[in-house]
Amino acid sequence: MAEHPGDPVLPLDLSAATHVSSLAAARRPDSAFDDVIGAFPPGEECAAAFGWVLRQSIDEVLDGQRTGRFDVDDLEKTEKTYLGTKVEIIARDHFGWERGQRGRMDYLIAGHEVDSKFTSGGNWTIPAEAVGHICLLVKADDHRSSFQVGLVRIHEDLLNAGRNRDGKRSLSAIGRQAVHWLVRDGRLPPNILLSLAPHERDAIFHPPATGRRRSGSGQARTNALFRRVRGRLVDRNTVLTVARQDDGPKRVRDARIDLRPEGIMVLGHQNQHPRIARALDLPVPDKGSWIAVKVRRLAPGEESGRPAVEIGTGWYTVWSEGDPAPEAPESY
Amino acid sequence: MAEHPGDPVLPLDLSAATHVSSLAAARRPDSAFDDVIGAFPPGEECAAAFGWVLRQSIDEVLDGQRTGRFDVDDLEKTEKTYLGTKVEIIARDHFGWERGQRGRMDYLIAGHEVDSKFTSGGNWTIPAEAVGHICLLVKADDHRSSFQVGLVRIHEDLLNAGRNRDGKRSLSAIGRQAVHWLVRDGRLPPNILLSLAPHERDAIFHPPATGRRRSGSGQARTNALFRRVRGRLVDRNTVLTVARQDDGPKRVRDARIDLRPEGIMVLGHQNQHPRIARALDLPVPDKGSWIAVKVRRLAPGEESGRPAVEIGTGWYTVWSEGDPAPEAPESY
């Protein structure tokens, strides 16, 4: 893709040289910039922190418990705009940054003014006021479960020439090269509902009536969630989005009772649940997450050759297609 | 204030007659409009519901726990715009309405498409697409603790002629007359921090170090809150905004211990607290609200002539200036 340097009086045949000098300018010693970089935690820790900040921001704006939404594409325009503000608020709180002192920049990091620029699209749009300032660039794509975080001091030369209706310019290819990436290839904590095939989602949001649960009830949907999503950690927000009720843990406890006859266990972080998850070679839930697993009871003396766990008076293993009938323990 | 009917070809001297006919048109039989009115709960209940919806919406966008903000004037432009969306989301959830079926209107109420228009300013701005449609008009002013809710079917004649940059027009005086008010003079649940004098707020947000609490700690601020705000219910959001921590109840429990030497009790909804509040003629806290009161122990046989309550082995009454030293019970 051809890039156009910001200064239109330069002859085009100098553009390559200009690019090099733009980048060199962006890489000139900048102790404030270095201070800001130094204020961030190292690699993995930084990625984990921003992953949490972004997951939390997206989930709060989706407001799944009230709206049943799980896809950022369903956000209204005002909500998409607000998402950047929410990211800024949650990041500031999480990292303990202050607001910029002059009230113009979003953060004060290591004593320096830093502006926050978020995009869920392809590129960042930079207002004229940001030129000369350090920007924290954050991009998140919930559909690809990916995010990026970087720092750049904005120069005219790092922006494309074209302006949008608000007079903002996008970061050029040279600009992207000038970014100091804090997280180049971040993985967002998964959005379970978004990751499911449409027919799976449909089975969760519109479950048939089973047993004593009305098909339209939050409990029936929660049951369907754990019936369909097994062997994967399910977070609290996913439960709330499906249940559309504020007591997620209560819905999970009731799902545990309702799904027992189907041989499905729902493990949390309490009691012997972590031990069971570990023994069955499953991810181990933290507080506020759960994992469903369909199990069967081993016959006395049976060697299944698979991970098994003793619960009460029996040994249980993960049920697979073709196995004898699933059976969950009475209590666990 | 002079009003200009929408149609500029009318001679001005007919304007009075036009106003009357605009209003008459707005009052023509409209069974869909009547259906929508009928879907709302009656007066007091409607006012209580919208009061809660608006308090919750404002508090969520302020996000006091993370930002320490309590004043809508401190919201950014994107947040002010988003506030209307949050009101729409929380109202839809609270009243159990669906989204409009054609995806253009915000609500489906009693089978009819209804658009949501919120303002925290003086007037509503109405886009051209809303003409002909029923609008739920909501206005909230947290500084005056007031709100209004009404329904109107938008006609050209009910809008002022001037358009803002987005091509929207404001509701005219005639338009306001045409509104069916569901809540004409609503009182918002109080915003405690906004209602305090600036020096009181300052004493809460920047308390001196006392006892074992650092002055900058959330606990020191929570203590200062209950030291300063007595005899008034304090809601959970206020505690979170002051404490900037997520465990409000824990901060309150610790404030109870820290403030006992000053003769201050902090009553909640549990144990004997409601009994104590009632006996002392104070508002009685619900779950998620608290009330602080400075008390003194009555001397044996003393008749204070004021409400008193027996706690443990002593009788206590509300402490007033000039009374003997305040003293709170050891436990309550």
Side-chain angles (χ1 to χ4, degrees):
Chain A
M1 191 172 60
E3 288 296 330
H4 306 285
D7 191 346
V9 301
L10 281 174
L12 277 175
D13 58 352
L14 283 185
S15 61
T18 308
H19 286 183
V20 171
S21 69
S22 301
L23 208 50
R27 286 176 177 163
R28 266 199 294 265
D30 182 340
S31 69
F33 192 75
D34 294 340
D35 289 349
V36 173
I37 292 173
F40 285 81
E44 282 299 300
E45 194 184 325
C46 192
F50 275 102
W52 180 86
V53 165
L54 290 165
R55 178 78 274 142
Q56 187 68 23
S57 300
I58 293 168
D59 288 348
E60 288 193 22
V61 179
L62 284 167
D63 201 350
Q65 179 183 334
R66 293 194 181 108
T67 66
R69 296 177 304 184
F70 49 83
D71 186 341
V72 287
D73 289 351
D74 291 335
L75 294 178
E76 292 179 22
K77 191 159 168 289
T78 57
E79 294 177 299
K80 285 181 182 163
T81 307
Y82 175 74
L83 178 54
T85 308
K86 189 96 266 187
V87 169
E88 179 195 323
I89 289 172
I90 298 184
R92 190 188 291 120
D93 180 59
H94 183 78
F95 290 103
W97 299 325
E98 298 290 321
R99 286 193 70 91
Q101 282 178 322
R102 285 164 245 153
R104 274 177 53 213
M105 295 289 120
D106 297 317
Y107 306 128
L108 194 69
I109 302 179
H112 304 289
E113 304 275 329
V114 175
D115 220 9
S116 173
K117 294 292 163 222
F118 173 80
T119 181
S120 51
N123 201 344
W124 294 269
T125 53
I126 310 289
E129 312 88 81
V131 171
H133 292 285
I134 302 172
C135 280
L136 178 68
L137 304 177
V138 182
K139 177 154 80 172
D141 182 336
D142 206 16
H143 284 267
R144 295 167 191 265
S145 297
S146 68
F147 72 93
Q148 294 180 294
V149 183
L151 287 163
V152 68
R153 188 184 286 277
I154 299 293
H155 294 280
E156 292 282 350
D157 303 355
L158 304 181
L159 303 176
N160 287 317
R163 291 170 191 270
N164 72 6
R165 269 184 299 178
D166 299 332
K168 295 181 182 174
R169 283 170 292 175
S170 54
L171 197 69
S172 69
I174 294 291
R176 282 193 290 279
Q177 284 183 53
V179 173
H180 175 92
W181 294 108
L182 296 163
V183 186
R184 192 187 285 270
D185 186 26
R187 306 309 300 163
L188 281 178
N191 181 331
I192 302 274
L193 294 167
L194 193 59
S195 72
L196 296 177
H199 76 275
E200 290 282 350
R201 263 198 313 254
D202 203 52
I204 290 167
F205 280 102
H206 306 286
T210 52
R212 59 204 178 93
R213 303 298 178 184
R214 288 177 303 105
S215 73
S217 73
Q219 189 61 54
R221 292 193 299 272
T222 308
N223 293 352
L225 170 66
F226 288 110
R227 187 180 291 124
R228 297 271 165 178
V229 180
R230 302 199 310 262
R232 266 184 91 174
L233 291 172
V234 173
D235 59 295
R236 181 173 170 276
N237 183 65
T238 297
V239 173
L240 294 176
T241 301
V242 166
R244 302 281 295 275
Q245 292 170 23
D246 59 6
D247 195 349
K250 167 72 174 144
R251 294 284 77 73
V252 177
R253 286 196 299 276
D254 286 355
R256 202 167 278 155
I257 297 165
D258 290 358
L259 295 173
R260 204 186 55 75
E262 303 174 35
I264 295 170
M265 302 174 71
V266 184
L267 305 171
H269 74 292
Q270 289 178 310
N271 308 322
Q272 52 177 333
H273 294 186
R275 175 185 74 87
I276 297 171
R278 256 187 303 271
L280 294 178
D281 214 11
L282 297 168
V284 179
D286 282 329
K287 185 171 179 186
S289 73
W290 298 274
I291 192 164
V293 56
K294 192 182 258 194
V295 295
R296 68 179 181 92
R297 187 172 177 146
L298 292 178
E302 178 184 353
E303 291 283 351
S304 72
R306 287 184 234 152
V309 61
E310 188 170 20
I311 306 169
T313 60
W315 282 83
Y316 294 83
T317 189
V318 177
W319 178 88
S320 304
E321 206 64 48
D323 275 359
E327 182 187 341
E330 281 289 329
S331 68
Y332 55 93
Chain B
M1 190 172 59
E3 289 296 328
H4 306 285
D7 190 344
V9 302
L10 280 174
L12 276 174
D13 58 352
L14 283 184
S15 62
T18 308
H19 286 182
V20 171
S21 68
S22 302
L23 209 50
R27 286 177 177 162
R28 266 199 295 264
D30 182 340
S31 69
F33 192 76
D34 295 340
D35 289 349
V36 173
I37 293 174
F40 285 81
E44 282 301 300
E45 194 185 325
C46 192
F50 274 102
W52 180 86
V53 165
L54 290 165
R55 178 79 273 142
Q56 187 69 23
S57 300
I58 293 168
D59 288 348
E60 287 192 23
V61 179
L62 284 167
D63 201 350
Q65 179 183 334
R66 293 194 182 107
T67 66
R69 297 177 303 184
F70 50 83
D71 186 340
V72 286
D73 288 352
D74 292 334
L75 293 178
E76 291 179 21
K77 192 159 169 287
T78 58
E79 294 176 299
K80 285 181 183 164
T81 306
Y82 176 73
L83 179 55
T85 308
K86 189 95 267 187
V87 169
E88 180 195 323
I89 288 172
I90 298 185
R92 190 189 291 119
D93 180 59
H94 183 79
F95 291 103
W97 299 324
E98 299 288 323
R99 285 193 70 91
Q101 283 178 321
R102 284 165 246 153
R104 275 177 53 214
M105 295 290 122
D106 297 316
Y107 305 128
L108 194 69
I109 303 179
H112 304 287
E113 303 275 329
V114 176
D115 220 8
S116 172
K117 293 293 163 224
F118 172 80
T119 182
S120 51
N123 201 346
W124 294 270
T125 53
I126 310 289
E129 312 88 82
V131 171
H133 292 285
I134 302 172
C135 280
L136 178 68
L137 303 177
V138 180
K139 177 155 80 173
D141 183 336
D142 207 16
H143 284 267
R144 294 168 191 265
S145 296
S146 68
F147 72 93
Q148 294 181 294
V149 182
L151 287 164
V152 68
R153 188 184 285 276
I154 300 293
H155 294 278
E156 293 281 351
D157 302 356
L158 304 182
L159 303 176
N160 288 316
R163 290 170 192 272
N164 71 6
R165 269 183 299 177
D166 300 331
K168 294 181 182 175
R169 284 171 290 175
S170 56
L171 196 68
S172 69
I174 294 291
R176 283 193 291 278
Q177 283 183 53
V179 173
H180 175 93
W181 294 106
L182 295 163
V183 185
R184 192 186 286 270
D185 186 26
R187 307 308 301 162
L188 280 179
N191 181 331
I192 302 273
L193 294 167
L194 193 59
S195 73
L196 295 176
H199 75 276
E200 290 282 350
R201 266 199 309 255
D202 203 52
I204 291 168
F205 280 101
H206 306 286
T210 52
R212 60 205 177 93
R213 303 298 177 184
R214 287 178 302 106
S215 73
S217 73
Q219 189 61 54
R221 292 193 298 272
T222 308
N223 293 352
L225 170 68
F226 287 111
R227 187 180 290 124
R228 297 272 164 175
V229 180
R230 301 199 309 263
R232 265 184 92 174
L233 291 173
V234 173
D235 59 295
R236 180 172 170 278
N237 183 66
T238 297
V239 173
L240 294 176
T241 301
V242 166
R244 303 282 295 273
Q245 291 170 24
D246 60 5
D247 195 349
K250 166 72 174 145
R251 296 284 78 71
V252 176
R253 286 196 301 274
D254 286 356
R256 202 168 279 154
I257 297 164
D258 290 358
L259 295 173
R260 205 187 54 76
E262 303 174 35
I264 295 170
M265 303 174 71
V266 184
L267 305 171
H269 75 292
Q270 289 178 310
N271 308 322
Q272 52 178 332
H273 295 186
R275 175 185 74 86
I276 297 171
R278 256 187 304 271
L280 294 178
D281 215 10
L282 297 169
V284 179
D286 282 329
K287 186 172 179 184
S289 74
W290 298 274
I291 192 164
V293 56
K294 191 182 259 195
V295 295
R296 68 179 181 91
R297 188 174 177 143
L298 292 178
E302 179 184 352
E303 291 283 352
S304 72
R306 288 184 234 152
V309 62
E310 189 169 20
I311 305 168
T313 59
W315 281 83
Y316 294 84
T317 189
V318 177
W319 179 87
S320 304
E321 206 63 49
D323 274 359
E327 182 188 342
E330 281 290 329
S331 69
Y332 55 94

